Amino acid sequence: MIGSTQRLRRTGSRLVLMRLFSNAVVRTFAPRAASNTPASNTSDPSTSNSDTSAESVDLTRPAPDAILVDGETIVAVGTRAELLDIAAAQSSTTVALASAGGVGATTVIPGLEIDEVDCSGQVILPGFVDGHIHSIMYADSLTDLDLSQTKSLAEAVAAIRDRADSLPVGTWVVGSGWDLNKWEDPSYPDRALLDAEVPDHPVAMWSLDLHTLWVNAHALEIAGIDETTPDPAGGGFVRDDDGTLTGLVREDATDLVARFIPEPSREEQVERLATTQELFLSQGLTGIHDFDGISATLGWNDLHEAGRQDMRVTLYLRSPEVPWAIETGWHTGDGDDWLQCGGLKLFSDGALGSHTSHMSSPFPETDGETENFGIAQMTEDELFDQAHIATEAGISVAIHAIGDQANHHVLAVYERLRDITRAAEEKFDRPMRHRVEHAQFIQPSDVVRFAELGVLASMQPRHCISDLHLLHLIDESAQLAAYAWPDLLDAGANVVFGSDGPVEPANPFAAIYAAMTRANISGDVSTTFQPHRRLSAVEAIRLHTQGPAFAAGLDGRRGYLAPGMDADFIVVDTDPCAAEGLDTETLTTEAAAEMSDPNASPTPTDGLLGYASEEALFAHAEAIRDTRVALTVVGGEIKYRA
């Protein structure tokens, strides 16, 4: 990977050394232990408090209105006048600048090199980082057939037929997004309609959760799969009562078909990735944790080499890539400021929508299936063995676990791994922050174990509201902690927010809406699920900024806005910290209470989050959901402008 270099640009004949973003409302989200006083400029990121449970979003004091950047680093946050003084003092000139200077004051001072960006009175926030996303799958989803809006099996088949008609005979028809749980007749699709309507094309359609593949006979034939093909470990081919393949392929068995689907050329994949990067930047993402393994590693490296990478990426491996990673010296935390080596992704179970998440209670009977507890893709011992190998080699572990039984097993793996993890941290001189990906359903006794074991919960708020129509599948008597972000925070665990895109859209503002309301994306209050588990906008933003920074071991450099931090931030048209009907004094008091009582709940438990009413809460949440990004700044450079 390429080492980082300071990025400077020329404006006319002048080399710009500093950039001032002014005329803004700056929400720093800095921990209270970190000073933002620009005049003293004494904040040392190496000594800042990494425990970010208390936010310095003090709405009783005026917010700063400017940020001063030198290269890729924030110099100071404060008023425009204060920052112009600092810029003058740190520039090549020795001439003092009067704080009363007007907007054009920089032009009258010889030698002062500063580029001022007027933010038009909008709001500056720390750059969001998606803690779990699949960039290559996302890029492909923008090109492949999208079935997410189909309302029936017949409508889905018609869309597949129309796409096939536009392609040469024999070409693969690939798509994703179907969800039988949303169809008018929620029954499983099979290959019969595909075989009748699209006989001359191999068809492969991923379910919305990407855990089930719906294929036709042509695709099965190409893959060499028939009724005699055994189910692989961690997956299976669905068969009817006569043993005939239905065309549904689940979990690890999908690899036996997917490997025959032609991939775009490397050049085409890079162009797709560049387009996807522009979309992410436009939505306020300055970085991602990418879980697409070697394909993402190659794609982002190509963009990096070409000087086209505009956002920061932490790359995660897949299990087959571990030998290569160990041989090439892949260690979690290595890399540069733009491409970082992450950990290893393993799978414990499947997904709720595909009825393959590993649960302690069975799913309701479906199409003759009884006592379906989901799929354990790997046993606890198998998970431990692979996690052991990776950790000893200096590679942290992130294990997919959605069902409560899967989470229970994964926590047991991490408990067995504790001594090995400590030894690896000492050997490689860095934190090994293991993670659980999704953690959607947790047994009550396991909630506190996340904190006790130091395991991060990597969660996606949009899953909660996208799964509203699936929650009847969960045994209420089990009293599971479902999408339990505040429960984990209260227990002292670290939580990371992301999207799991393309399973969910990458837009983080819609995710904040989901965390605030736990209601469907349209704003229907009646659909709210467990309102006592809502999170404030402030807390949800923290989990999109400081959460991913902590997970990547970058909590001293990213996640909030303060002197010495990386200059990654966004300019937006909506203030998520202030709204009509929001009792800011109560919120500030509760923030202070957190400082004196680390175990205090980060948000009120009445479900109103300090708002005067449900109507006020939803009005603000919907405004945040619809936020527009004006600028995205990464490493001090404007990477996106609306």
Side-chain angles (χ1 to χ4, degrees):
M1 294 182 181
I2 302 174
S4 63
T5 58
Q6 187 176 23
R7 300 183 179 187
L8 303 178
R9 67 179 179 84
R10 291 189 178 275
T11 301
S13 61
R14 269 195 319 152
L15 187 64
V16 175
L17 297 177
M18 289 191 180
R19 185 172 286 112
L20 178 67
F21 295 83
S22 60
N23 189 16
V25 176
V26 183
R27 301 299 189 190
T28 68
F29 282 80
R32 291 180 182 273
S35 171
N36 277 325
T37 306
S40 61
N41 196 20
T42 58
S43 178
D44 179 0
S46 67
T47 61
S48 65
N49 181 10
S50 62
D51 178 6
T52 55
S53 62
E55 304 296 342
S56 63
V57 183
D58 188 347
L59 302 179
T60 64
R61 301 175 58 188
D65 64 14
I67 292 181
L68 181 64
V69 173
D70 186 356
E72 296 189 7
T73 306
I74 296 173
V75 174
V77 180
T79 67
R80 177 180 180 274
E82 291 169 329
L83 301 196
L84 285 173
D85 277 345
I86 291 173
Q90 295 189 11
S91 71
S92 58
T93 182
T94 58
V95 179
L97 174 65
S99 295
V103 172
T106 60
T107 62
V108 301
I109 301 194
L112 180 62
E113 295 165 338
I114 184 168
D115 179 25
E116 184 164 3
V117 179
D118 187 341
C119 296
S120 304
Q122 299 186 96
V123 182
I124 295 180
L125 301 173
F128 290 1
V129 175
D130 193 309
H132 184 120
I133 201 167
H134 303 269
S135 68
I136 299 299
M137 290 184 182
Y138 212 113
D140 291 343
S141 74
L142 299 178
T143 302
D144 294 341
L145 179 61
D146 179 12
L147 296 179
S148 62
Q149 301 305 310
T150 56
K151 297 180 175 60
S152 66
L153 173 59
E155 189 176 328
V157 171
I160 295 168
R161 184 184 61 241
D162 289 345
R163 175 59 67 93
D165 290 344
S166 69
L167 299 171
V169 172
T171 304
W172 279 82
V173 184
V174 182
S176 63
W178 62 270
D179 183 356
L180 69 92
N181 303 287
K182 293 182 178 178
W183 285 347
E184 296 166 355
D185 178 14
S187 57
Y188 283 103
D190 61 30
R191 74 187 204 195
L193 283 175
L194 293 180
D195 291 345
E197 296 291 336
V198 195
D200 298 327
H201 295 262
V203 176
M205 295 288 144
W206 292 97
S207 60
L208 179 64
D209 57 29
L210 302 177
H211 284 256
T212 299
L213 195 57
W214 172 28
V215 299
N216 64 354
H218 198 347
L220 291 171
E221 181 181 4
I222 290 174
I225 296 168
D226 59 25
E227 276 71 17
T228 66
T229 304
D231 290 346
F237 304 101
V238 178
R239 296 171 167 85
D240 63 19
D241 293 339
D242 297 326
T244 302
L245 296 173
T246 68
L248 286 181
V249 186
R250 289 178 171 169
E251 302 302 340
D252 285 355
T254 61
D255 293 340
L256 302 180
V257 178
R259 64 188 181 186
F260 290 94
I261 301 173
E263 296 182 353
S265 68
R266 190 160 173 177
E267 293 75 17
E268 183 181 358
Q269 190 67 77
V270 168
E271 293 307 315
R272 289 187 182 187
L273 189 57
T275 299
T276 307
Q277 174 183 238
E278 181 70 12
L279 173 64
F280 292 163
L281 290 166
S282 74
Q283 295 176 330
L285 294 175
T286 58
I288 60 173
H289 292 189
D290 197 326
F291 282 79
D292 270 350
I294 191 64
S295 58
T297 300
L298 293 173
W300 286 109
N301 265 296
D302 286 348
L303 279 181
H304 195 90
E305 294 279 358
R308 299 173 62 190
Q309 184 187 354
D310 290 332
M311 66 192 310
R312 306 187 195 271
V313 181
T314 299
L315 296 158
Y316 280 77
L317 300 161
R318 294 299 183 100
S319 186
E321 297 153 8
V322 170
W324 165 83
I326 293 175
E327 182 179 348
T328 57
W330 178 298
H331 301 134
T332 296
D334 282 355
D336 63 20
D337 288 345
W338 294 84
L339 277 179
Q340 181 192 38
C341 295
L344 166 65
K345 168 77 175 293
L346 298 173
F347 284 86
S348 178
D349 69 344
L352 181 63
S354 289
H355 301 190
T356 55
S357 53
H358 190 192
M359 309 297 295
S360 58
S361 300
F363 287 96
E365 183 178 359
T366 305
D367 288 348
E369 293 181 337
T370 57
E371 296 297 296
N372 173 23
F373 290 84
I375 292 179
Q377 292 199 45
M378 299 174 70
T379 67
E380 185 179 310
D381 286 342
E382 290 170 337
L383 284 169
F384 174 77
D385 288 344
Q386 292 209 29
H388 183 176
I389 292 170
T391 302
E392 276 196 334
I395 303 171
S396 65
V397 182
I399 305 180
H400 167 116
I402 288 179
D404 69 292
Q405 196 63 25
N407 277 279
H408 186 72
H409 286 315
V410 170
L411 290 171
V413 167
Y414 285 139
E415 186 165 10
R416 293 168 62 183
L417 201 65
R418 294 181 82 170
D419 290 343
I420 299 163
T421 300
R422 293 191 189 100
E425 290 179 329
E426 183 175 345
K427 177 180 178 180
F428 295 99
D429 191 26
R430 66 196 63 189
M432 302 288 286
R433 291 171 178 165
H434 300 313
R435 306 165 43 145
V436 173
E437 303 305 312
H438 312 307
Q440 287 178 208
F441 303 102
I442 307 172
Q443 295 169 19
S445 60
D446 280 341
V447 171
V448 71
R449 294 182 69 202
F450 276 85
E452 291 173 346
L453 297 172
V455 175
L456 281 69
S458 171
M459 308 177 78
Q460 299 75 39
R462 282 293 299 266
H463 282 335
C464 175
I465 66 174
S466 294
D467 288 351
L468 290 172
H469 65 294
L470 298 173
L471 296 181
H472 66 281
L473 300 173
I474 303 303
D475 182 1
E476 292 185 9
S477 66
Q479 297 292 307
L480 301 180
Y483 314 93
W485 322 304
D487 306 57
L488 288 159
L489 292 170
D490 289 351
N494 285 286
V495 178
V496 181
F497 272 177
S499 68
D500 198 20
V503 175
E504 303 288 352
N507 188 341
F509 294 99
I512 295 168
Y513 163 89
M516 293 175 68
T517 67
R518 298 174 69 95
N520 69 18
I521 197 66
S522 69
D524 183 351
V525 179
S526 69
T527 64
T528 300
F529 174 67
Q530 297 182 346
H532 65 281
R533 287 194 164 116
R534 290 169 174 164
L535 282 184
S536 69
V538 168
E539 192 72 12
I541 291 172
R542 181 184 74 84
L543 301 184
H544 275 98
T545 54
Q546 295 168 31
F550 181 82
L554 296 168
D555 36 315
R557 291 186 55 187
R558 297 175 195 160
Y560 58 93
L561 305 178
M565 303 292 283
D566 288 340
D568 299 351
F569 51 87
I570 58 178
V571 180
V572 300
D573 67 352
T574 304
D575 190 345
C577 301
E580 184 176 351
L582 176 60
D583 185 348
T584 58
E585 183 177 350
T586 297
L587 290 183
T588 304
T589 300
E590 290 192 3
E594 286 184 51
M595 292 295 293
S596 59
D597 180 7
N599 295 318
S601 174
T603 54
T605 57
D606 61 2
L608 292 181
L609 305 176
Y611 293 85
S613 63
E614 288 272 281
E615 291 76 15
L617 188 160
F618 271 77
H620 193 203
E622 290 173 32
I624 293 171
R625 177 198 64 194
D626 300 335
T627 294
R628 296 177 62 86
V629 177
L631 295 176
T632 300
V633 177
V634 190
E637 295 279 347
I638 297 174
K639 299 299 186 180
Y640 168 80
R641 189 190 297 268

